[in-house]
Structures are given as C-alpha cells and as structure tokens.
Amino acid sequence: MILGSTGSIGVQALEIVEANPDKFRVIALAAGSSNLQLLADQAKRFSVPVVGTTGDRDTLTRMLGNTQVIDGAKSASDIAAIACDIVLNGISGSIGLGPTLAALSVGNKVALANKESLVAGGDLVMAFGRDRIIPVDSEHSALYQCFLSGKAAEVKQVILTASGGPFRDRIDFTDITVADALNHPTWSMGPVVTINSATLMNKGLEIIEAHYLFDLPYSKISAVIHPQSVVHSMVEFIDGSTIAQASPPSMKGPIAYAISGANRIAKATAPVDWNTKQSWEFMPIDGEKFPAVELARRCGELGGGLPAIFNAANEVAVDAFINGLIPFTKIVDVVDATVQKLGGNSPITIGSLSDVSAIEDDARVLANQLVQERK
Ligand code: MG
C-alpha cells in the first residue's frame, strides 16, 4: 500500500507498479486533501479496494463508486494498519510518524520515505526492530546497499552526499526568493524537501535519520557536498576501503529497491552512462554558510525530544518562508532559537506518540511566535 500516493514519491511508486504488474498489487492508498481527483484516478486505475483521505469523504466516494473510503485525521494510520507485504510511507512531514508506527505495530514492513518518522520518533520506530524498515531516502538506500559489503563492526564511518542545493555557490543569501529556493539543480521533489535541500536542513535531518536507521553514533556520520548527485552515499570500512552506490539522480531506484523488499527490479532507473565523460566532485560543507547541518547534529547528539523540536520548528519556518512571512536566512534562525529555548526542558526519553505530539505542539507555538517577531 502507498501512503502519500499523490505526492512525488507516491506518484513515482505507482509508475514502478504500472511498469511491473507481475510484481506488485496495490491494496490501499492514502493521501491528504490537496488532490482528491488524482487520488480517485489512482484508485480506479489500480483497482484499489480501500482508500484513505483527510479530505472530504462524500466527494471522494462520489468519484469512486464502490471503493471503501476511510476519512479523518487518522485515515493514513488506519490504512497503514491493514496487513500487507509492505507499506510505502511517502507522506511529507512528521505527520507521517503515526502511520509508520501503526504499520509496524501490526507487523507490516515499511518502505520509509518519511524521514521525519525517524527524526521525530526514532526510538519509537526502531523499537520494532531494524529489519522491519527499508529506507527510501536515496542516501540511506545507498548506505543500506553499501552495508551489504561488510560487517557492522567493520564500518569506520558513513558519508552522506549532499548536492548542496541551488545556493551551493551563492555568496549573498539576503534576497533569495521562494522560486530561487524551489529551483533544485539535480533533484525533482516536493516543496518542503526542496526548501530543506536549499538550507541543507535536509542533510541535517538525514544525519539524524542515519543514526537511528543504522544504529551509528553521530561521530561516525559525516556529510560531503557532491554537486552531481550521482554517488548517493558511501560507507568507509576499517581497512580503508570505501563502498559507494551510484546512479543518475532519480528516486525510482531507491523506491523500487525498497518496495520490493530490498530486491533489484530490472530497469528501475537509468544506469550511469560510462560512454560519456563523467566528472564527480566532492567537497566539504561550509558550516558557516549552512549552519543547519551542525545544528541538526547537536540536536541529534542531545537526543530525547530535541530532534522532534528541531524538525517541528523547521516545518513552521519553511511554511513561513514559502508564504512570504520570513526571509530565507531566518529559517535556520527560527529553528535555532526554538531549539535553544525549548531544549532545556525537553525530556530525555520519548515514550509514546503523544509525547512526540506534545513536544511538537510546544515547538510549533514557539516557532510561530518567533516567525511573527522576525517578520
Ligand atoms: Mg535524501
């Protein structure tokens, strides 16, 4: 089943399903309210028996006829708890955590594109066991594949690659527009992750994601700029050997690998064309230009509720930027100030989904106040 079916990941997953009708059958879809027509079209096209939406039930039912419709704020979690071979969670934002936990709690495997599930509730998610989650995030899919080359005890460090986003070479950040920030040089993704790539918040979130997914201390997780986005990440082993996973930037590869249960689907994505000249660059991240990466690492190391606060504040700040309320440079500023103010009171451990929700609510209220102050 596919959660977030009308988003970038969901749409590409359905293209993979369509190209491989012998391998996949979609038993349920869930999506928000923003594109009910597309959700209805998907359900009809793939003869899906159950559909969840946070949008209007009657409207969707009218479009669908005989299909069962589940509505409401918890609809994605209800859908996720239907037994199936694998749940693809392509929801954007920490609202994806509930459905991830719902899927795991009934024994489903999760192909996880929703990195916020791990950032906001990593301990809760990983308590279900490491073998139940296959990452869809391209960097983590790469690491997952590279890890197959050695034993966990032989890993020296992992190196996440970052394209550097549209502002890698930009000196002056003061008058960046929303259109500038949405213009990603190598990847086509949803708006929030695209803005997160421009601030490098995305890389910060992915460092925390890697910590939980692979049970690595933060000292063993680094990140490097790689503008071509062909090497998706690397694992360096203790003998000095580095294993990298490479393919031209497309989410089809990692999505297909994950939804097939870590198997390789023929022609999932175009390979590197070795008959044309390749030039791959790697360079360190400028921490002064992109403070989000170190801020995320600090929040990750302190642990407890801090990564959830970090992520919730960022969701508010990105939304404020997209809506023209704050300039680009204030995104990290709002997140930093929220973390500073709430960090001292944050719990050491997160025991439940409601703990996460309570922390996030506090972070959102404060981040919204800080946005108003910075208008
Ligand atoms: Mg990624």
Side-chain angles (χ1 to χ4, degrees):
M1 68 176 65
I2 301 176
L3 313 178
S5 67
T6 58
S8 171
I9 295 289
V11 166
Q12 292 179 80
L14 285 170
E15 287 169 9
I16 295 165
V17 169
E18 190 151 45
N20 296 276
D22 55 321
K23 292 201 167 60
F24 303 106
R25 190 167 55 91
V26 184
I27 64 149
L29 295 172
S33 57
S34 63
N35 201 340
L36 285 184
Q37 186 63 56
L38 177 58
L39 178 57
D41 292 347
Q42 291 174 336
K44 281 191 257 184
R45 190 179 189 108
F46 292 91
S47 307
V48 179
V50 191
V51 175
T53 181
T54 55
D56 185 57
R57 180 199 177 98
D58 293 341
T59 309
L60 189 60
T61 304
R62 262 198 305 281
M63 291 169 170
L64 281 173
N66 286 332
T67 307
Q68 185 191 350
V69 175
I70 296 174
D71 66 345
K74 291 209 157 49
S75 53
S77 294
D78 294 341
I79 293 283
I82 299 169
C84 66
D85 293 334
I86 196 141
V87 176
L88 171 61
N89 186 347
I91 294 170
S92 172
S94 64
I95 53 164
L97 172 59
T100 296
L101 294 173
L104 293 169
S105 65
V106 297
N108 287 337
K109 277 192 177 181
V110 177
L112 188 64
N114 178 258
K115 65 190 77 179
E116 294 87 349
S117 286
L118 288 168
V119 174
D123 290 322
L124 301 177
V125 172
M126 297 320 290
F128 286 98
R130 225 153 287 283
D131 57 337
R132 302 273 297 283
I133 297 195
I134 306 169
V136 173
D137 210 350
S138 61
E139 294 80 357
H140 305 76
S141 175
L143 293 178
Y144 189 101
Q145 296 173 56
C146 295
F147 269 118
L148 300 175
S149 293
K151 302 179 187 77
E154 295 169 341
V155 172
K156 178 87 182 295
Q157 65 164 338
V158 302
I159 305 102
L160 299 169
T161 55
S163 70
F167 310 135
R168 188 185 73 236
D169 299 323
R170 186 164 176 147
I171 310 286
D172 183 6
F173 279 22
T174 48
D175 46 34
I176 288 173
T177 65
V178 175
D180 290 340
L182 285 174
N183 184 25
H184 196 276
T186 50
W187 287 102
S188 167
M189 307 173 288
V192 175
V193 64
T194 305
I195 302 292
N196 285 345
S197 296
T199 54
L200 262 68
M201 272 292 176
N202 187 50
K203 214 46 54 182
L205 296 170
E206 289 179 350
I207 288 173
I208 298 171
E209 184 185 5
H211 162 77
Y212 286 111
L213 268 177
F214 303 111
D215 194 24
L216 290 165
Y218 285 93
S219 58
K220 288 190 175 183
I221 309 169
S222 61
V224 64
I225 301 269
H226 167 49
Q228 291 78 21
S229 302
V230 175
V231 173
H232 298 302
S233 280
M234 301 170 271
V235 176
E236 181 188 317
F237 290 93
I238 50 171
D239 62 351
S241 180
T242 297
I243 304 291
Q245 186 267 328
S247 50
S250 160
M251 285 308 294
K252 288 269 182 78
I255 293 169
Y257 188 75
I259 63 175
S260 63
N263 288 297
R264 298 201 180 272
I265 301 289
K267 297 184 177 149
T269 190
V272 174
D273 178 3
W274 300 106
N275 292 315
T276 60
K277 186 180 167 190
Q278 300 286 327
S279 171
W280 298 350
E281 300 164 279
F282 298 91
M283 58 201 85
I285 293 173
D286 181 340
E288 267 177 48
K289 231 168 113 171
F290 297 109
V293 181
E294 274 318 298
L295 179 59
R297 185 187 291 280
R298 275 209 310 282
C299 291
E301 277 172 345
L302 290 166
L306 265 174
I309 294 169
F310 170 82
N311 179 64
N314 183 54
E315 289 183 9
V316 169
V318 168
D319 192 58
F321 169 67
I322 290 175
N323 289 301
L325 296 176
I326 54 169
F328 184 80
T329 50
K330 295 291 181 199
I331 297 175
V332 181
D333 189 41
V334 165
V335 178
D336 197 1
T338 307
V339 164
Q340 298 256 358
K341 283 204 176 155
L342 289 181
N345 313 324
S346 126
I348 306 300
T349 54
I350 299 273
S352 68
L353 182 56
S354 55
D355 289 350
V356 176
S357 301
I359 292 165
E360 288 188 328
D361 288 347
D362 290 349
R364 290 201 175 99
V365 168
L366 179 58
N368 271 308
Q369 280 171 16
L370 294 166
V371 162
Q372 294 302 324
E373 288 166 20
R374 282 161 178 76
K375 265 179 44 177

